[in-house]
Structure formats: C-alpha cells, structure tokens
C-alpha cells in the first residue's frame, strides 16, 4: 500500500515549518528549529517533507491561508534539500521514490519560487548520488523542455529548463566525465542548443545559461558543437529578450578564453554588436556587454585585433563611466554624515585574511593578492552560501548602492584600465580631449567621470601622462575640496594611483611641490565630514604607503597623529580600513615605529580600541591582524602590551575550541567562526617573534590553558586556514621558544606526520591544503635543527613524506622547496640514518635548492645535506657535478654568521673527501663550467 502521512504529525510539522521562517516571532522560530532538528531523526521525515512540498493545495485537515501554505512548502523544500545534502546515512529507497515522483510535479508548479526549489533539490540529488542514482531525470527534463508530448505547460518547460541549468552549474565535471562509455554532455549539449529556439524567452535564456557553464571549458562536447552553437548565437544576437542577449554577450566573452580562433574572424561585427548592447537602457545587459572588452583586453593575443576599433570603443566606455540619474538618486547627494552611526548591514562582513605561508627564501608569502584602493574591483559575492532558489525572489538588488556592486560604470573603467595597459599612449591621446572638456565641467557627474578616467589609465599610460602631472596633480589636490563628496571620493582614489610618481621624485623642490601636498591632501581627507570620502582617503593613503615605503619615515609622526584622530572619530565601518593603514605603515617603516614618540602616540589608541571590541565582534579580525604587524615592527618595544594581548588570544582560541566541541554534541548550536582562531594564532606568532625569547618563553610557560595543548587541537582542526596558521605558530615556537615546545613534541609529531600525507588533501581544497603542507614542512625543519638526534624515531616517516612531496610534479614549487630544506635539515644529527638512502634523493634535493635564494634556511639545509655526503660519499656518483656546481654558486658565504662559516667548512670538507677518493679529480673538475671552476678555486683550498 502507498505511504500515507499521519494527519496529526503532518499538521505539527507544518506548524513548525511555518514558524521556522517567521522573522517576527524569534522565540517561536527558535522553538520550531529545535523541533525540526528532533524531527530529522524520524525515518520518514523526508516523506512528509516531499508530501507537503509537492501538494499544490493544503492537504485535508490542514487549515491555513494561501500565504502561510506557501511558507510551509518553501520551508519543507529547504529542509528536504538540506537533509539530502547533509544526511550521513543513505536515504531509504521508499523516500527516494517519493522524491523522484514529487520533483517533476513541482517543476510544473504555477509558482516560480516552488519551481526553483524543485530544481535545487534535483541538482542536490544528482550531486549527492551521481547521474546513475536518478538515470531517468535528465532525459525526462529534456522531454519536458522540448514539450515532446505537447502536454507540458509553459511553466513546466521553464521549470525543467531552470532545473537543467542548475544541474549543469552544480555538476559540471560529472556531466563531462565518461559514464558507461558515454559522456552525458555529448548528448545534452546539442539538446540545449536546440532549446535556444524555444518560443519561450525564459527557456531560451536558461538554455544559454546552461550552455555558458561549458563555453569557457574545452570539453569534447563543446568541440563537436562549437560551429552549431555559433550559428545559434548569431541568430539570437537580435533576440527581443534582454536576458537572452545578456547570455549571448556572456557566451561571446567566454569563448574569447576557450576559442579565440572562432571569435577572431567575427571581431569586426562583434565590436559593433557589443557597442550596441553596451548602450542598452538595461544596465545588466550593458554591463555584460562591457565585460567582453575586459576579456578581449586581457587575452594575450586577441587584444591586438582591437587596434583598428579603439577609437570607436573608448568614447562608449567614457560615456558609460558617468553616473546615471538612478545611481545619483541612490548615492543620496552631498551630506556630512561623519557623526551618524553605521548600521550593521552597512558594514561589509569581515573575514580573516589568509595566513601567510612560510617561504623557503626566509620570508612570508602573502596570501592576499588584493590591491588597495581598486575603485572598480569586483566586490566578492556574498551570496555564495545561499542556494539560488532560496533568495532569487527576495533579492532587492536594484536598489543596492552603486558603490557596493559591480556596475556598468566600474566595468567600463576597468576595461579602460586594461586597454591603457594594452595600447598605452594612444589610449591617453584619445581621452585627452575628453579630459580637457570635463575635468572642470560645471556638472559634477562629468567632473567625477573625468577624474575616474584619469585614474583608470594611471598604470598603462604613466609615461605619456607624466609630462602633464605637474599641472594635473595640483588641480586634483584642489578637487579634494570639491563641494560634491563623490568627486572628493574618486579624487582620493586617482591621487593614490599616481602616488608612485610623486613618491619617486628626488628633487627636494619637486617633492615639496607635489609629494608633500598630495600626502597631506589625502591624509586630510581621512577626516572629511563625509564617511565615504574618509574611506576613500584611508584607502588611497594605504596605497601611497605601499608606493612610498621608507620614504614616509620623516613624516611618520604627523601621519600617526592623524591616525589617532581618526581612531577617535571613525564609526565602525571605516575603522577596518584604518587598521589597514596602520599595518601597512608598520610593514613599510618597520623598526622606526619603535621610536618612543611614535609608540606613545599610536599604542594608547590601539589599546583603547582593543579594550572596546568584544571577543565576539568581527572587528577583532582586522584589529588582531593590525596588531600582528605592529608587534613585528616594534619588536621588544611591544613588551609592555604583550601579556594581556597574549592571554586574551589564548582565551579566544580556548573559547572557540570549546564551542566546536559543544557543537559536536549539540548540532542545534551556532557553529563558531574559525576566523577568530586564525587571527589569534597569527597574533601569537607575531608576539613570539617580536619579544626577547626569554619574555616569549615566560608567556608560553604561564599560559592557561596549556599553550601546546591548545596548539595541537588547532593542528587537527578541520579548517585548512586554521591548520595553516597553527603550523606557522609551531615553527615560530621551534625558532624562539624551543625549550617550552620540546616536552610536547611526542604528542605533536604524530599529528604533523599525518598532515604531511598528501592523500589527506581533498581535490576541492587543493590550494589551501598545500598552504598547510607547506607550513607543516617548514615547522618540521625548524624543529629538526634544534631537536637534532632526538628526531631519530620520526626520521624514517618524515623522510618518506618529504620524498613523496619532492618527487610529485603536481606540488607547487614553494612547497617542494620547504620539503627539501626540511629533508636537508634532518642531516643535522641524523646523518647516519638517511645516508644509506642518499643516492635516491640527492638529485631531487639539489634541483629544489637551485631555486632557493640564500638564507639561513638554505644554509642549514646544505649543512645537513653535506653530513649525509660525508657519511656516504660514493652515493653521489650521479649527482656529483650538480653538487659541486651548487657549492660554486652558493653566494652568501662571505656574510658573518655561525651557520654560514660552518657551511663553508662543511663544503671544504666535502671537497677534500672527493679530492682523495677520485683518482682523476682534475678531469672531473674540468667538466664544470669555467666560471664555476674559478669561483671554487678562489673560495676553497685545493
């Protein structure tokens, strides 16, 4: 007999589902969430959910309004999707059968939102179980899309097509892979191309959306269908529907990447087409059209083909860089809002920046490629965690502030920037008449667009702009006083873009005329009465700090005094960029910051903020990061502030780990934010590096709870970024507080060895996974040079792991270099253990070390390696020329340090061994390059 719901359970569940989406009664919402979590344990919960979701009208006995029943269906769909996504046990076959029956019905629902949810559930089923878990789905969708029976409603065709687009988007690789001797995409793609002829505009647009998942990829199916697709794209280019033309523009832009050979012959016609679309009143369509210029401009070969059309394209870009009337209305006009508090929704979510990876060259590799002050950068999409179906109808994107979203104006400016870097001088020559007309225009939107254009060409056209800068820069500085805040805002950005020119001036008179007024002007704007101008000023000043570097040292006191005023004045949002200014200054002037007059200005302001910000506030991320840079700059001068900061970081880590444990026992609790762990670990690293080792040791020793106990928990955290920071801290502890670390090594090594196992890195986390392995290698090497022969129990497994990394061509260079250094360092105290294996790793070690710049790390690695060589010199037969070449090319031996003078002696000893055991040593020596022979003869005793 078919499954039937119990009326009582159905009505209880429906009430909970409705309350779970109620934004008005928080208590009822929380209670409903608890009851729904308990309901998950019921074996037929999914039957109830699909029953409610797929019933277009309230089932018998369920009394509710149409509006409430829509909420119940929506909530049932979201819960069903989440159950499919997160269930650790297989869903019973009986439930799967009901889901497979219900979803196609929901795809034909009258309500577009319900159709969306059905598509989301279908794609989750395929993602979770694979295509063969529901082999009928894709053929059934294609039949509905093509209305083969003649009985499918318009809604059904649209719902099926939208579902197919979602499945393509979420299961791209699965559709391209071979399955039972066939690639599903080979069958699907021609059908999608056919669907672009549908009489329904939504089906045509979604068909193109699905196709565009694959246009940028070089699949067999795309190779087979490319000519057919192009024919259809040209036919659709004049489609009456804007969404269809948007997707056509996207397809052309993506084919630039994957099939430039197919775009090239059509470029003259495409230029005219894209210009027409860019002039459309529909801003989304115009923006997608403008993206085409960006992709062609960034293509290494195709941009040359635009040369004849530049004079056509640039006027359109300039025209599109002027704020539209709607944007002007949304910007809210001129207002002094410095005293208004920021609303929580106005503060962009903050994330901990990815912790640096420790590099073999002794430095740190930044993990954050973002540049300061990029006025048209794409704002990171914050919708990533939301399902499409869950938000589409509730988005209010049209009213979003034009400063906060990717707009036609920003896209056009970015394209102008790219063209300036491609074509250089001709771009400036073509915009010069425009600048002359508009820089002093009476209407501010034209003034603003001209300043934006001048900033956009700063990088590409600097040489041709430079002669004009002595006239332009003073005028731009005068615009910092413009009555319109938006003009002041863009002027800050443009001055920041030209700050390198001003910073590089060497003539004292010129510096006084241009650099100092520019610096003072931007600094003053950091306290503009308008908050957005403050933000632009701070961002531009951080940019200037990057460009000017140590040249700011003479001005550091007035700069810091202005920062302190900003700390007193700023509301929450701008505080974040202020931290960036402070840390960039600390990074570039370094130890100068430790001057007592500077410390006494800056630190009280930072500590006051530190005491105000709660342990739960996201403002803690940029603040902790800023303090890390300041600690590193101050070194031991940070001591008076170190203890309370150190204790608080340890407590934050402890609370976060406790919250994770609590969550494991009670899934209804909120998940702790791991960014608190990342930034706290990074600040602990900075303090341990900055202070005198005895003071750092005392802080670690006195830590409650036990420091290394917390660190081992972080080393096993499921989040890559947490483990990356934890291993960086482990290596720093080995360098600076080894005595405190040593007793914990027996519990640390098993975790470290597991981390070095490459099989543990998931495909989807490959980049962040390598960051963790990199820091684990580095920390193992730092421990090895201090733990020496006590490493013996771990050496065989460490050796195996390092060899796996060194011999795997898919591993990034920086990681293999750190593995090679750690492997070499094992020779310091364990030469006997690995010398018998020397022939198996010598060449890989030397190849990796060829790339590493001279540093203490490289020196200690070579000292360990020569210890292996001394114990087993005959093993070097195949690599001996390479070894001697490496000795000859080792460049920093003249520097005074114990490690380096020791390395000189080790190399001398190795040369001596081979002089004794090679009968025709001179013949061997003559095989080296003449310059290498010369260096060896002058540096060593022969």
């Amino acid at each position: 007999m078919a499954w039937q719901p119990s009326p009582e359970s159905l009505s209880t569940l429906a009430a909970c589902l409705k309350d779970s989406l109620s934004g008005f009664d928080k208590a009822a919402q929380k209670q409903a969430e608890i009851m729904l979590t308990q309901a998950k344990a019921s074996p037929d919960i999914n039957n109830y959910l699909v029953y409610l979701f797929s019933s277009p009208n309230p089932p018998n006995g369920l009394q509710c309004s149409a509006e409430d029943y829509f909420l119940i269906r929506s909530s049932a769909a979201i819960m069903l999707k989440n159950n499919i996504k997160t269930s650790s046990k297989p869903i019973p076959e009986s439930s799967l059968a009901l889901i497979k029956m219900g979803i196609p019905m929901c795809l034909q629902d009258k309500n577009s939102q319900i159709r969306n949810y059905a598509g989301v559930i279908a794609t989750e089923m395929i993602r979770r179980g694979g295509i063969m878990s529901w082999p009928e789905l894709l053929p059934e969708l294609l039949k509905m899309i093509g209305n083969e029976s003649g009985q499918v409603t318009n809604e059904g065709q649209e719902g099926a097509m939208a579902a197919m687009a979602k499945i393509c988007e979420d299961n791209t690789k699965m559709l391209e892979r071979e399955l039972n001797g066939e690639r599903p995409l080979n069958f699907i793609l021609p059908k999608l191309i056919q669907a672009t002829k549908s009489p329904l505009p939504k089906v045509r647009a979604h068909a193109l959306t699905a196709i565009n998942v694959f246009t940028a990829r070089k699949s067999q199916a795309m190779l087979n269908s490319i000519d057919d697709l192009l024919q259809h794209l040209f036919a659709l280019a004049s489609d009456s529907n804007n969404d269809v033309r948007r997707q056509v523009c996207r397809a052309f832009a993506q084919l630039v990447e994957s099939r430039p050979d197919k775009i090239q012959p059509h470029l003259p016609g495409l230029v005219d087409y894209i210009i027409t679309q860019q002039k459309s009143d529909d801003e989304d369509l115009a923006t997608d059209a403008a993206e085409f210029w960006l992709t062609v401009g960034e293509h290494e070969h195709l941009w040359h083909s635009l040369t004849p059309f530049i004079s056509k394209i640039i006027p359109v870009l300039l025209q599109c860089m002027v704020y539209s009337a709607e944007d002007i209305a949304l910007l809210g006009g001129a207002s002094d809002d410095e005293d208004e508090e920021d609303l929580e929704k106005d503060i962009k979510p903050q994330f901990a920046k990815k912790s640096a990876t420790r590099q073999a060259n002794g430095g740190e590799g930044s993990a954050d490629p973002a540049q300061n002050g990029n006025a048209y950068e794409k704002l990171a999409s914050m919708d990533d965690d939301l399902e499409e179906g869950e938000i589409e109808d509730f988005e209010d994107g049209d009213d979003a502030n034009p400063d906060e979203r990717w707009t036609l104006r920003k896209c056009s400016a970015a394209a102008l920037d790219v063209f300036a870097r491609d074509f250089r001088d001709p771009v400036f020559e073509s915009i010069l008449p425009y600048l002359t007309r508009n820089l002093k225009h009476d209407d501010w939107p034209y003034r603003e667009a001209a300043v934006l254009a001048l900033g956009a060409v700063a990088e590409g056209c600097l040489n041709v702009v430079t002669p004009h800068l002595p006239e332009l820069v003073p005028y731009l500085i005068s615009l910092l006083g413009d009555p319109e805040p938006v003009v002041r805002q863009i002027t800050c950005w443009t001055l920041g873009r030209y700050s390198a020119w001003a910073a590089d001036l060497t003539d004292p008179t010129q510096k006084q005329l241009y650099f100092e007024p520019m610096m003072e002007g931007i600094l003053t704007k950091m306290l503009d009465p308008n908050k957005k101008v403050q933000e632009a000023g701070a961002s531009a000043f951080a940019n200037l700090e990057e460009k000017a570097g140590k040249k700011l040292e003479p001005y550091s006191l007035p700069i810091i005094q202005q920062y302190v005023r900003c700390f007193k004045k700023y509301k929450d949002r701008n505080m974040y960029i202020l931290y960036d200014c402070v840390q960039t200054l600390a990074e570039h002037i370094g130890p100068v910051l430790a001057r007592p007059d500077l410390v006494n200005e800056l630190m009280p302001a930072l500590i006051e903020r530190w005491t105000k910000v709660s342990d739960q506030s996201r403002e803690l991320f940029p603040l902790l990061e800023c303090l890390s840079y300041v600690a590193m700059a101050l070194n031991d001068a940070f001591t008076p502030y170190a203890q309370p900061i150190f204790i608080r970081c340890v407590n934050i880590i402890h609370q976060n780990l406790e919250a994770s444990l609590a969550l494991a026992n009670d899934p209804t609790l909120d998940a702790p934010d791991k960014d608190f762990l990342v930034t706290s670990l990074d600040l602990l690293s900075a303090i341990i590096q900055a202070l005198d080792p005895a003071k750092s040791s005392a802080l670690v020793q006195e830590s409650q709870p036990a420091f290394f106990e917390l660190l081992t928990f972080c080393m096993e955290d499921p989040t890559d970024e947490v483990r990356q920071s934890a291993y960086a801290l482990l290596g720093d502890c080995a360098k600076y507080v080894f005595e405190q670390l040593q007793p914990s090594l027996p519990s640390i090594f098993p975790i470290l060895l597991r981390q070095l196992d490459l099989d543990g890195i998931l495909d989807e986390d490959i980049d962040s996974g390598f960051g963790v392995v990199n820091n684990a290698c580095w920390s193992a090497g730092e421990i090895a040079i201090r733990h020496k022969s006590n490493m013996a129990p771990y050496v065989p497994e460490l050796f195996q792991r390092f060899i796996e990394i060194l011999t795997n061509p898919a591993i990034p260079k920086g990681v293999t270099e750190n593995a090679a250094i750690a492997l070499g360092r094992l020779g310091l105290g364990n030469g006997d253990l690995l010398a018998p294996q020397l022939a198996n790793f010598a060449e890989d070690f030397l190849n990796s070390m060829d790339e590493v710049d001279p540093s203490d790390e490289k020196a200690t690695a070579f000292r360990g390696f020569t210890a292996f060589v001394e114990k087993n010199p005959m093993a070097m037969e195949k690599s001996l020329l390479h070894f001697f070449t490496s000795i000859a090319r080792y460049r920093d031996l003249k520097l005074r340090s114990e490690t380096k003078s020791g390395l000189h002696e080790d190399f001398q000893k190795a040369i001596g061994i081979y002089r004794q055991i090679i009968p025709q040593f001179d013949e061997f020596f003559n095989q080296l390059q003449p310059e290498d022979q010369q260096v060896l003869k002058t540096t060593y005793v022969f």
Side-chain angles (χ1 to χ4, degrees), residues 65-96:
S65 66
E67 197 179 324
D68 282 352
Y69 188 55
F70 170 69
L71 273 184
I72 291 165
R73 292 181 76 190
S74 301
S75 185
I78 293 168
M79 187 172 176
L80 179 59
K81 188 271 295 183
N82 287 336
N83 288 355
I84 295 166
K85 187 174 186 173
T86 58
S87 168
S88 50
K89 297 182 196 137
I91 294 170
E93 278 304 320
S94 56
S95 297
L96 286 174

Short mmCIF file of all heavy atoms in Angstrom, two decimals, residues 65-96:
data_model
loop_
_atom_site.label_atom_id
_atom_site.label_comp_id
_atom_site.label_asym_id
_atom_site.label_seq_id
_atom_site.Cartn_x
_atom_site.Cartn_y
_atom_site.Cartn_z
N SER A 65 -3.84 29.84 5.50
CA SER A 65 -4.04 30.73 4.35
C SER A 65 -3.09 30.32 3.22
O SER A 65 -2.10 29.62 3.44
CB SER A 65 -3.72 32.17 4.76
OG SER A 65 -2.33 32.28 5.05
N ALA A 66 -3.37 30.82 2.02
CA ALA A 66 -2.51 30.53 0.86
C ALA A 66 -1.08 31.02 1.11
O ALA A 66 -0.10 30.35 0.77
CB ALA A 66 -3.08 31.19 -0.39
N GLU A 67 -1.00 32.19 1.76
CA GLU A 67 0.32 32.78 2.04
C GLU A 67 1.12 31.89 3.00
O GLU A 67 2.31 31.61 2.79
CB GLU A 67 0.10 34.16 2.67
CG GLU A 67 1.33 35.05 2.64
CD GLU A 67 1.03 36.43 3.26
OE1 GLU A 67 -0.11 36.93 3.08
OE2 GLU A 67 1.92 36.93 3.93
N ASP A 68 0.44 31.42 4.07
CA ASP A 68 1.11 30.55 5.04
C ASP A 68 1.49 29.22 4.40
O ASP A 68 2.56 28.66 4.68
CB ASP A 68 0.22 30.30 6.26
CG ASP A 68 0.23 31.49 7.22
OD1 ASP A 68 1.04 32.41 6.98
OD2 ASP A 68 -0.57 31.51 8.18
N TYR A 69 0.61 28.70 3.53
CA TYR A 69 0.91 27.40 2.93
C TYR A 69 2.12 27.52 1.98
O TYR A 69 2.94 26.60 1.89
CB TYR A 69 -0.31 26.85 2.17
CG TYR A 69 -0.07 25.42 1.71
CD1 TYR A 69 0.31 24.43 2.63
CD2 TYR A 69 -0.17 25.08 0.37
CE1 TYR A 69 0.57 23.14 2.22
CE2 TYR A 69 0.09 23.77 -0.06
CZ TYR A 69 0.45 22.81 0.87
OH TYR A 69 0.73 21.52 0.46
N PHE A 70 2.27 28.68 1.34
CA PHE A 70 3.47 28.89 0.51
C PHE A 70 4.72 28.84 1.39
O PHE A 70 5.73 28.24 1.03
CB PHE A 70 3.37 30.23 -0.22
CG PHE A 70 4.66 30.62 -0.90
CD1 PHE A 70 5.12 29.92 -2.01
CD2 PHE A 70 5.46 31.66 -0.41
CE1 PHE A 70 6.33 30.25 -2.63
CE2 PHE A 70 6.65 31.99 -1.01
CZ PHE A 70 7.09 31.29 -2.12
N LEU A 71 4.66 29.48 2.57
CA LEU A 71 5.80 29.44 3.50
C LEU A 71 6.11 28.01 3.92
O LEU A 71 7.28 27.61 4.01
CB LEU A 71 5.49 30.26 4.76
CG LEU A 71 5.79 31.75 4.74
CD1 LEU A 71 5.51 32.36 6.10
CD2 LEU A 71 7.26 32.02 4.37
N ILE A 72 5.05 27.21 4.20
CA ILE A 72 5.24 25.82 4.64
C ILE A 72 5.93 25.02 3.52
O ILE A 72 6.90 24.29 3.77
CB ILE A 72 3.87 25.19 5.02
CG1 ILE A 72 3.33 25.84 6.30
CG2 ILE A 72 3.98 23.67 5.18
CD1 ILE A 72 1.86 25.56 6.58
N ARG A 73 5.44 25.17 2.28
CA ARG A 73 6.05 24.45 1.16
C ARG A 73 7.52 24.86 0.96
O ARG A 73 8.39 24.02 0.73
CB ARG A 73 5.27 24.72 -0.13
CG ARG A 73 3.88 24.13 -0.16
CD ARG A 73 3.18 24.43 -1.49
NE ARG A 73 3.68 23.57 -2.58
CZ ARG A 73 3.38 23.75 -3.86
NH1 ARG A 73 2.62 24.78 -4.23
NH2 ARG A 73 3.84 22.93 -4.78
N SER A 74 7.76 26.16 1.07
CA SER A 74 9.14 26.66 0.89
C SER A 74 10.06 26.08 1.96
O SER A 74 11.17 25.61 1.68
CB SER A 74 9.17 28.19 0.98
OG SER A 74 8.35 28.74 -0.01
N SER A 75 9.57 26.11 3.21
CA SER A 75 10.38 25.61 4.33
C SER A 75 10.62 24.11 4.18
O SER A 75 11.71 23.61 4.45
CB SER A 75 9.66 25.93 5.63
OG SER A 75 10.45 25.56 6.72
N ALA A 76 9.57 23.38 3.73
CA ALA A 76 9.71 21.93 3.52
C ALA A 76 10.78 21.66 2.45
O ALA A 76 11.61 20.75 2.59
CB ALA A 76 8.38 21.33 3.08
N ALA A 77 10.78 22.48 1.39
CA ALA A 77 11.77 22.30 0.31
C ALA A 77 13.19 22.54 0.82
O ALA A 77 14.11 21.76 0.52
CB ALA A 77 11.45 23.26 -0.83
N ILE A 78 13.36 23.61 1.60
CA ILE A 78 14.71 23.93 2.11
C ILE A 78 15.21 22.82 3.02
O ILE A 78 16.35 22.37 2.93
CB ILE A 78 14.69 25.29 2.85
CG1 ILE A 78 14.42 26.43 1.85
CG2 ILE A 78 16.01 25.54 3.58
CD1 ILE A 78 14.11 27.77 2.50
N MET A 79 14.31 22.32 3.90
CA MET A 79 14.71 21.27 4.83
C MET A 79 15.02 19.97 4.07
O MET A 79 16.00 19.28 4.37
CB MET A 79 13.61 21.03 5.87
CG MET A 79 14.04 20.06 6.96
SD MET A 79 12.82 19.98 8.28
CE MET A 79 13.57 18.69 9.28
N LEU A 80 14.20 19.66 3.06
CA LEU A 80 14.43 18.45 2.27
C LEU A 80 15.78 18.53 1.56
O LEU A 80 16.58 17.58 1.57
CB LEU A 80 13.30 18.28 1.24
CG LEU A 80 13.39 17.07 0.31
CD1 LEU A 80 13.43 15.76 1.09
CD2 LEU A 80 12.21 17.05 -0.68
N LYS A 81 16.06 19.69 0.97
CA LYS A 81 17.35 19.87 0.28
C LYS A 81 18.51 19.69 1.26
O LYS A 81 19.48 18.99 0.99
CB LYS A 81 17.39 21.25 -0.37
CG LYS A 81 18.59 21.50 -1.27
CD LYS A 81 19.81 22.07 -0.58
CE LYS A 81 19.55 23.45 -0.03
NZ LYS A 81 20.75 24.04 0.57
N ASN A 82 18.38 20.30 2.47
CA ASN A 82 19.46 20.19 3.46
C ASN A 82 19.62 18.76 3.96
O ASN A 82 20.74 18.31 4.22
CB ASN A 82 19.20 21.14 4.63
CG ASN A 82 19.45 22.59 4.22
OD1 ASN A 82 20.19 22.85 3.28
ND2 ASN A 82 18.81 23.53 4.89
N ASN A 83 18.50 18.04 4.11
CA ASN A 83 18.59 16.64 4.54
C ASN A 83 19.34 15.80 3.50
O ASN A 83 20.19 14.98 3.84
CB ASN A 83 17.19 16.03 4.76
CG ASN A 83 16.53 16.58 6.01
OD1 ASN A 83 17.14 17.32 6.76
ND2 ASN A 83 15.28 16.20 6.23
N ILE A 84 19.03 16.04 2.22
CA ILE A 84 19.72 15.30 1.16
C ILE A 84 21.21 15.64 1.18
O ILE A 84 22.08 14.78 1.05
CB ILE A 84 19.12 15.63 -0.23
CG1 ILE A 84 17.67 15.16 -0.31
CG2 ILE A 84 19.94 15.01 -1.36
CD1 ILE A 84 16.88 15.72 -1.49
N LYS A 85 21.49 16.92 1.41
CA LYS A 85 22.88 17.40 1.35
C LYS A 85 23.72 16.89 2.52
O LYS A 85 24.88 16.52 2.35
CB LYS A 85 22.86 18.94 1.35
CG LYS A 85 24.21 19.58 1.12
CD LYS A 85 24.08 21.08 1.00
CE LYS A 85 25.40 21.73 0.62
NZ LYS A 85 25.24 23.15 0.34
N THR A 86 23.13 16.86 3.73
CA THR A 86 23.96 16.63 4.93
C THR A 86 23.77 15.26 5.56
O THR A 86 24.51 14.91 6.47
CB THR A 86 23.67 17.70 5.99
OG1 THR A 86 22.26 17.64 6.31
CG2 THR A 86 23.99 19.09 5.49
N SER A 87 22.78 14.49 5.09
CA SER A 87 22.49 13.21 5.75
C SER A 87 23.71 12.30 5.69
O SER A 87 24.31 12.09 4.64
CB SER A 87 21.31 12.53 5.07
OG SER A 87 21.22 11.21 5.52
N SER A 88 24.10 11.76 6.87
CA SER A 88 25.27 10.87 6.89
C SER A 88 24.85 9.44 6.49
O SER A 88 25.67 8.65 6.06
CB SER A 88 25.90 10.87 8.28
OG SER A 88 24.90 10.65 9.26
N LYS A 89 23.55 9.12 6.66
CA LYS A 89 23.07 7.78 6.29
C LYS A 89 22.40 7.86 4.91
O LYS A 89 21.86 8.90 4.54
CB LYS A 89 22.02 7.30 7.30
CG LYS A 89 22.55 7.14 8.71
CD LYS A 89 21.41 6.61 9.60
CE LYS A 89 21.80 6.81 11.06
NZ LYS A 89 20.68 7.29 11.85
N PRO A 90 22.39 6.73 4.18
CA PRO A 90 21.67 6.74 2.90
C PRO A 90 20.16 6.97 3.13
O PRO A 90 19.61 6.50 4.12
CB PRO A 90 21.91 5.34 2.32
CG PRO A 90 22.98 4.73 3.17
CD PRO A 90 23.01 5.44 4.47
N ILE A 91 19.54 7.72 2.22
CA ILE A 91 18.09 7.97 2.33
C ILE A 91 17.37 6.69 1.90
O ILE A 91 17.73 6.10 0.87
CB ILE A 91 17.69 9.17 1.46
CG1 ILE A 91 18.33 10.44 2.03
CG2 ILE A 91 16.18 9.34 1.37
CD1 ILE A 91 18.23 11.66 1.14
N PRO A 92 16.35 6.22 2.67
CA PRO A 92 15.66 4.97 2.32
C PRO A 92 15.09 5.03 0.89
O PRO A 92 14.65 6.09 0.43
CB PRO A 92 14.53 4.87 3.35
CG PRO A 92 14.92 5.80 4.45
CD PRO A 92 15.81 6.85 3.87
N GLU A 93 15.10 3.88 0.22
CA GLU A 93 14.60 3.79 -1.16
C GLU A 93 13.17 4.29 -1.29
O GLU A 93 12.80 4.94 -2.26
CB GLU A 93 14.67 2.34 -1.66
CG GLU A 93 16.05 1.91 -2.17
CD GLU A 93 16.60 2.80 -3.27
OE1 GLU A 93 15.82 3.21 -4.16
OE2 GLU A 93 17.81 3.12 -3.25
N SER A 94 12.34 3.97 -0.25
CA SER A 94 10.93 4.38 -0.31
C SER A 94 10.82 5.91 -0.35
O SER A 94 9.99 6.47 -1.08
CB SER A 94 10.16 3.83 0.90
OG SER A 94 10.80 4.25 2.09
N SER A 95 11.68 6.60 0.42
CA SER A 95 11.66 8.08 0.41
C SER A 95 12.16 8.61 -0.93
O SER A 95 11.61 9.56 -1.49
CB SER A 95 12.56 8.63 1.53
OG SER A 95 12.06 8.26 2.79
N LEU A 96 13.24 7.98 -1.45
CA LEU A 96 13.78 8.43 -2.74
C LEU A 96 12.72 8.32 -3.84
O LEU A 96 12.60 9.20 -4.69
CB LEU A 96 15.01 7.61 -3.13
CG LEU A 96 16.29 7.90 -2.35
CD1 LEU A 96 17.40 6.93 -2.72
CD2 LEU A 96 16.77 9.34 -2.58
#
